[in-house]
Each structure stands twice: as structure tokens, then as C-alpha cells.
Amino acid sequence: MTPPSPVRVAVIGAGPAGFFLADKLLSQSDVPIAVDMFERLPVPYGLVRFGVAPDHEKIKLVTRAFDKVSARAGFRYYGNVEVGTTVTLQELQQHYHAIAFTTGAQSDRRMGIPGEELAGSHAATELVAWYNGHPDYRDRQFDLSAERVAVIGVGNVAVDVARILCRSADELGRTDMADHAVEALRQSGIREVLLLGRRGPVQAAFTTPEVKELGELEHADALALPEEVALDPLSAAQFATIEDPSERRKIEVLNELATRSRTGKARCLTLRFLVSPLELVDDGTGRVGAIRVGKNRLVERDGALVAEPTGEVEEIPVGLVFRSVGYRGKPIPGLPFDERRGTVPNTQGRVTDPASGQALPGLYVAGWIKRGPSGVIGTNKPDAAETADAILTDARNEQLPVPSSSSGDAIDQLIRARQSDLVTWTDWQRINDAETTAGKTAGRPRVKLTRVTELVNASRASS
Ligand code: NAP
């Protein structure tokens, strides 16, 4: 039986899905709710801080909405607390009626080709986390001395990485990119960036504003090859069915890039289509020296257009490869996991037992760990609302498990006893002040602190 008030919900993960979920739960008055948000890192915002590109400052304004959530009655924030380490799921179940995981997709997909382990072959997600100052990636080294780089995949992450590699250090130095990355990129020897898509332009996963931005880079010429941008009959038929004007415009943008030639800018970014990575070739020293790609044609299979090899192979000398073929969720101890999809099995946010299909009472998911790594930040809003509705419905129907301790005090004491470096919301505001104050002096949005110890110290600064 669910007690009358309040229903206590633990939200695990302080990224967009976590905040949208907390907001939806706390902005209704039908069911009295208290939300405790747990975040592994000392800083909140998840992929808004560690995924959104530093030169996309406006996208980060969404954090203003998250800050409003933090001010809602019934909200508490426990930063620098790892569920599974500092406190276990079983322990949380003794204190909460509902536990919602919004931990995202913290790993990356692999290409599964020979040579993927060579030095100079990296996941794009690692580079992104490194340049955005994620503490786990603070000491990662990238040898950026190569002249030519291949980025595999044509999603928005690939576009972000290609664009960042084409920006000048002066441009990057005006953003909130982590200092260590600005300095490393200042020394970059990269002159040519190749973006490699295995299917055609109509199937490209990037969105139109993102690819348009590539054509507007100050220090890099962006090009496409006319023969690869030209639509085959199957793509032309698919294109004819697209109604979204923005999606249609994507092809115009690519056609325009295909008319361009080099103008003498310092760098060149070439978008390639219908090429699949086959192998990363060792340069003889254990480093990537080239990439072998197989040319493709498109064929229809089960209603989708898929790449089929033509048998033609091209070897392109490259010294660095970033695979950007998608993020992947990691299993959460104590919850079932769908290995194929990299998500937690669920129905409308209710975690389900894969064997029986039955909901596991009191366990929920939202965001990428629920639906997979797709969509933009805003996509998490309706996704989280669905999960919030499931929690509220289960609360109304008295289907939530009743914890042994539900005052909220005992879990607070437990966490404080276990984590002396706990970062509360007030502590985070001190970190934020330190970063933005340093940013003001430097003419930047903020200067990020990138080590857990630095963050914790800043959170204690004037307390
Ligand atoms: P994504 O959009 O799913 O793109 C993955 C790309 O990898 C696709 O081009 C896919 O091609 C390709 N790929 C997959 N397996 C491959 C293989 N074995 N060999 C070659 N290519 C392969 O993923 P993402 O770029 O990681 O982005 C994740 C989500 O975050 C997306 O929804 C994205 O829009 C969003 N995001 C948005 C922004 C923004 O709004 N500015 C920025 C970053 C990320 P196929 O299509 O052929 O499978």
C-alpha cells in the first residue's frame, strides 16, 4: 500500500532525462512527491555539460530550466554519490517508493573491424568527453599530430567532432572547452578531416542545421563529392516521400557543398557517402596508417535502404580514426538488461522482467537507458513525462512498494556518513560561481574544472 504522503522517488542521474523527470513529478499537485536526485559526478547536467559541443553554447541554456527544478519544494540533490558504490540499489529500496534510472548511454558502439585496437583509433565519444572536461577522461591522451583524420559515421556526434577538429584554437579558446583540450588542439597537425557515411545523403543521420554549419566554418573548406551526393533511384524515391522541409533542405545543402572546391582555408573537411570501414591498417609501428573502405550501393531490405558492398575497395592514408557509430547503454547492477539494444527492458518507463514481461514494482527508467541513444535533448522531455506518468499512475493505484524507512532523514544521514565529499546543490552553485567567475576574466562562458578533487575543493571554497 502506498502511504498518503509523500511518495519518495530517487532519480539516478542528473542529466536532461533526470531533470525533465523530476520536473514533471514535482510540478503536479495531485500526488505529493519528494524527489532525491543522485549523481555520480560532483557536477550536474550530464550530456549538456559533457556531450554538447563547446561551440554550441546556446543549447546549454536548457540548464536554466534544470536550475528551476532544483528550486522546487521537495527536491534534494546528492552529487558525487555513485549508486552501486556509495549506496546500493537494495539500500535505496529501503528508503524510496520508486527508483528511476536516467543514467544515459555511457559506452560506445564498436565497428567490429580489424585494426580497431591500433593506437590512433578512438571512440568519438571519448574525444567528446575529453574536450568537454569530463573528469574520467581528464588524463586521456590523443596524438593529434596526424595530417588526415577519418571520422566514421554521419550522425550529429560525428559532425560535432569533425567541426571541432576544424576550428582554430582561437575559436575554441572563446568557448567553455576544457583548457587541456584547447591547448592540445592548438598544437594539432590536422589539416584534413573525412566524414565517412556507409549509406547515402538521404539516409544520413545528421540534421540539417548541423551539416549547414560545416559549410560555414571560418578556417575549413567543407566539400562533398558530386558522384556520392547524387541520388540513386531508391534514394530519390525515398526523398520524394520526405515532407519535413528541414530534412529536404539537407540534400540542398549537400548538393551545394558538392559544387565547392578548396579556397585555401587552413583545413579541409570532406563528407563522403556510400563507404564502409573494412579495416584500419597498421603503419608498421602499431599505429593507424590508413583506412580501407569498401564502396557500397543501396538496396532495399525489409523496407529499409541498406548498404551492400560493390566489391570496390579504397585505401585512404589517415593517422587518426574516430568511430562515431553510436553510444550504448551499460548494464545497471540489479536491473535486467537488453544486450542487443543496450537498454533496460521497459514498458512506458516501467522496468520489466524480460522472462515474464511483468513490471518490476518501483523500478523505472527514462532517457537513453530507456529508449536508446536517439534524439536531441528535448526528446527527453516527452520520454521522461511518460515515465513520470507511469510513476504517478502506480502511486495512485497503490502499486508502489512501501519502503521500510520513508521519512527522508535516514537516507540523508546514510549518504552523509558514507560520502564526506558529498556535493549538494548549494555546493554545486559554488563550483558554478568559481567556473563562471574565471570565465568572465577570460572572456569565456566558464573555465571548467576537470578533476573531481578540484570540483570538490571549489564546492567547499567559501563555506
Ligand atoms: P546516430 O545519430 O545514431 O548516428 C550514428 C551513425 O553511425 C549513423 O550515420 C550510422 O549509419 C553510423 N553507423 C552505425 N554503425 C556503423 C558502422 N558499423 N559502420 C559505419 N557507420 C555506422 O548517433 P550519434 O551521432 O552518436 O548521435 C546520438 C544522438 O545524439 C542522435 O540522436 C543525435 O542527433 C544526437 N545529437 C544531437 C546533437 C545536436 O543536436 N547538435 C549533437 C550530438 C548528438 P546508419 O544510419 O547507416 O546506421
Side-chain angles (χ1 to χ4, degrees), residues 51 56 59 109-111 152-158 160 196-199 203-207 210 275-277 324-327 368 373-376:
H56 279 177
I59 296 180
R109 291 185 57 229
R110 303 185 72 83
M111 298 182 285
I152 316 299
V154 284
N156 280 332
V157 171
D160 278 349
L196 306 182
R198 63 179 170 183
R199 297 190 290 160
Q203 299 81 35
F206 52 61
T207 40
E210 276 62 30
V275 284
S276 280
S324 184
V325 295
Y327 285 79
W368 279 6
S374 66
V376 294

Side-chain angles (χ1 to χ4, degrees), residues 1 3 41 53 64 115 140 165 196 289 295 325 391 442 462:
M1 287 281 287
L41 293 169
R64 289 183 186 168
R140 194 61 59 97
L165 293 176
L196 306 182
K295 301 212 176 174
V325 295
I391 295 173
S462 53

Side-chain angles (χ1 to χ4, degrees), residues 93 97-100 360-364 394 399-401:
Q93 284 173 316
H97 300 88
I99 299 168
L360 298 173
L363 294 174
Y364 302 85
D394 293 348
Q399 282 173 346
L400 295 176

